[in-house]
Amino acid sequence: MTAYMLNELAKGNKNSLLKKRIITYYIYNGNATITDLAKVLDLSIPTVTKLVEEMCQLGMVNSYGKLETSGGRHPLLYGLNPDACYFIGVDIRRYAVNVGLINFNGELVETQSFGDYAFENTQQGLDNLCDIIRRFIDSLIIDKSKILNICVNVSGRVNPESGYSYSWFNFGEVPLSQLMTEKVGYPVCIDNDTRAMTYGEYLRGGISEKKHVLFVNVSWGLGLGIIINGKIYSGMSGFAGEFGHTPVFDNGIICHCGKKGCLETEASGCAIYRHLVERVKAGEKSILSERIENNEYITLEMIVDAINREDTLCIELLENLGYELGKHIAGLMNLFNPEMVIVGGVLSTVDEYLILPIKTAIKKHSLNMVNKDTVVKISALRERAGMIGACMLARSRVFDINSSF
């Protein structure tokens, strides 16, 4: 039935496009009556009734009973059949991979975190990633033929349309999405990690009514997701949002992009880690001093834990980072005049330690007429934003005709 359903939607004729529009409406708005769909899609009620009935027969749509009203006839509510198909999202971290499965309704069915992974830009690193995805699929108890798409988050410059990643796993002429499809055995698409986090926050973070939103991802690097008029802005080649590579410092520090003085060199997880190591080796104390002195690896989660345990050195470094970041978020606000700025990523999980210096800098450096219109807040989805966003992107790439992904 799943293959037949996809074949029906892939025909490209008027009816298949209308069915995709109906699915897109359900994705963004939830269940609806025939009358509501007819108004939104500017179609006649008989036409929508016929399309919805066909989709019910295909198993894509379910009837959810009568809508309670104050009087008159009670119309039937229709919505997506959650068990019709499934989608997988893969969020790559530096020392782990988080994988999730959603049903057609976008509800999380299964999540797993694989801590046995080191993010290396090598063929072995890619093979290990594909092995993790296969292990996750093998562990599922669903009908695996219903898995329609997998979306993998990749940091840096990613073209989701062509499937090429230019920062990681760029080993040859074959697009990364095609290479992973062949290795995993299921359709795979890729997207930028910050854009996926933004999309997840937009659909599942309680802000879908907002039209102009900026999402700042503060992890090892520094990224920006942009929502304009309710849609993700990707740019000409999918490279929009490289906020961290704005040249702002004359510090002589070489960024991983190859340029010097990028914002990321002083306002990111890499920056706080570098300063922490330098100051501990210069004699200052931290909860992480022993690990640094023994040259053991340190994760951002360890730094977050130290901050939550009131490590004064880590708190100071984070506050400096937050203020510097806030100055440049103020510039973004002056440029975009957004309704909301969301701060996400691993370092955002320390809450007020980060958001307060950011807000202080924004108030000082942004235009008053701009900042009074903008809400600045921490991500609602926290560390799950990337995984949830990847799951949602996997679904939208199959059905959402309005998606730019």
Side-chain angles (χ1 to χ4, degrees):
M1 179 61 73
T2 304
Y4 181 72
M5 176 180 74
L6 284 177
N7 288 335
E8 281 295 302
L9 293 175
K11 288 180 179 179
N13 57 31
K14 183 178 179 180
N15 272 5
S16 66
L17 291 175
L18 288 174
K19 288 172 182 176
K20 280 192 174 184
R21 288 181 65 192
I22 291 173
I23 290 172
T24 298
Y25 181 86
Y26 287 140
I27 285 174
Y28 288 101
N29 301 281
N31 299 344
T33 66
I34 296 291
T35 302
D36 289 337
L37 282 172
K39 288 179 181 177
V40 171
L41 302 178
D42 195 22
L43 297 170
S44 68
I45 289 179
T47 296
V48 175
T49 300
K50 178 176 179 294
L51 291 169
V52 170
E53 287 177 351
E54 289 176 359
M55 294 169 77
C56 286
Q57 292 171 6
L58 288 171
M60 289 186 284
V61 170
N62 280 345
S63 169
Y64 288 95
K66 292 183 178 181
L67 177 66
E68 294 299 322
T69 59
S70 58
R73 297 181 62 184
H74 300 294
L76 287 173
L77 271 177
Y78 292 91
L80 299 176
N81 173 13
D83 298 324
C85 47
Y86 297 89
F87 306 88
I88 291 174
V90 182
D91 189 38
I92 308 172
R93 303 291 184 91
R94 180 164 290 199
Y95 296 108
V97 177
N98 296 331
V99 190
L101 176 82
I102 62 168
N103 60 24
F104 202 7
N105 261 343
E107 299 158 333
L108 272 174
V109 176
E110 180 68 41
T111 64
Q112 289 185 39
S113 182
F114 297 84
D116 56 343
Y117 183 74
F119 193 12
E120 298 176 351
N121 192 27
T122 63
Q123 186 63 57
Q124 185 62 51
L126 176 59
D127 290 342
N128 292 343
L129 175 63
C130 292
D131 179 62
I132 284 173
I133 297 171
R134 287 194 297 267
R135 282 158 51 193
F136 175 78
I137 294 172
D138 290 342
S139 72
L140 299 174
I141 59 174
I142 63 167
D143 180 353
K144 297 176 180 60
S145 69
K146 291 185 176 182
I147 298 173
L148 299 190
N149 199 18
I150 300 169
C151 182
V152 179
N153 294 346
V154 184
S155 61
R157 287 159 292 288
V158 175
N159 188 325
E161 294 298 332
S162 67
Y164 280 99
S165 168
Y166 297 94
S167 300
W168 297 90
F169 302 140
N170 184 21
F171 303 133
E173 297 300 320
V174 179
L176 177 60
S177 58
Q178 180 182 332
L179 194 60
M180 294 192 70
T181 296
E182 295 168 358
K183 289 178 177 290
V184 174
Y186 289 84
V188 174
C189 63
I190 64 172
D191 213 315
N192 172 267
D193 58 345
T194 302
R195 196 153 50 231
M197 294 169 75
T198 307
Y199 193 61
E201 194 75 29
Y202 187 65
L203 287 186
R204 288 293 181 268
I207 63 164
S208 58
E209 79 284 357
K210 304 296 183 184
K211 296 299 181 183
H212 308 286
V213 179
L214 299 178
F215 183 97
V216 181
N217 175 19
V218 196
S219 298
W220 282 105
L222 180 64
L224 177 69
I226 306 166
I227 296 175
I228 299 175
N229 288 327
K231 296 190 180 300
I232 294 283
Y233 179 74
S234 302
M236 177 64 184
S237 305
F239 303 157
E242 291 294 340
F243 180 41
H245 300 297
T246 308
V248 295
F249 299 110
D250 189 21
N251 57 13
I253 297 174
I254 299 177
C255 181
H256 70 84
C257 72
K259 307 293 185 181
K260 290 184 179 180
C262 291
L263 177 59
E264 194 170 291
T265 63
E266 297 293 349
S268 68
C270 285
I272 198 172
Y273 169 79
R274 187 185 74 249
H275 287 303
L276 177 62
V277 171
E278 289 172 352
R279 291 179 62 168
V280 167
K281 290 188 174 180
E284 297 187 57
K285 297 299 180 182
S286 164
I287 291 172
L288 299 170
S289 292
E290 186 176 346
R291 295 191 67 88
I292 292 171
E293 290 162 358
N294 292 334
N295 294 317
E296 298 178 44
Y297 78 91
I298 292 176
T299 67
L300 285 187
E301 287 78 9
M302 291 176 186
I303 295 175
V304 166
D305 178 65
I307 291 168
N308 288 330
R309 291 165 61 188
E310 300 186 349
D311 183 302
T312 55
L313 177 55
C314 288
I315 290 173
E316 178 190 340
L317 293 174
L318 183 78
E319 288 176 343
N320 292 341
L321 180 156
Y323 190 84
E324 193 62 54
L325 179 58
K327 287 198 300 185
H328 297 281
I329 291 176
L332 292 176
M333 289 169 56
N334 291 342
L335 184 64
F336 286 99
N337 187 205
E339 293 173 78
M340 182 175 287
V341 173
I342 300 172
V343 180
V346 178
L347 289 180
S348 73
T349 57
V350 295
D351 295 335
E352 298 301 311
Y353 285 115
L354 180 63
I355 203 68
L356 288 179
I358 286 176
K359 287 182 175 179
T360 298
I362 286 174
K363 187 173 182 179
K364 181 176 180 180
H365 295 282
S366 65
L367 297 171
N368 290 336
M369 292 295 289
V370 173
N371 67 44
K372 73 180 183 65
D373 294 331
T374 305
V375 175
V376 181
K377 58 172 284 190
I378 292 288
S379 163
L381 299 183
R382 305 298 182 92
E383 67 278 0
R384 300 195 308 161
M387 178 190 66
I388 291 174
C391 289
M392 299 298 171
L393 282 174
R395 181 179 62 166
S396 72
R397 293 290 287 270
V398 177
F399 295 106
D400 186 357
I401 62 174
N402 293 322
S403 174
S404 60
F405 297 94

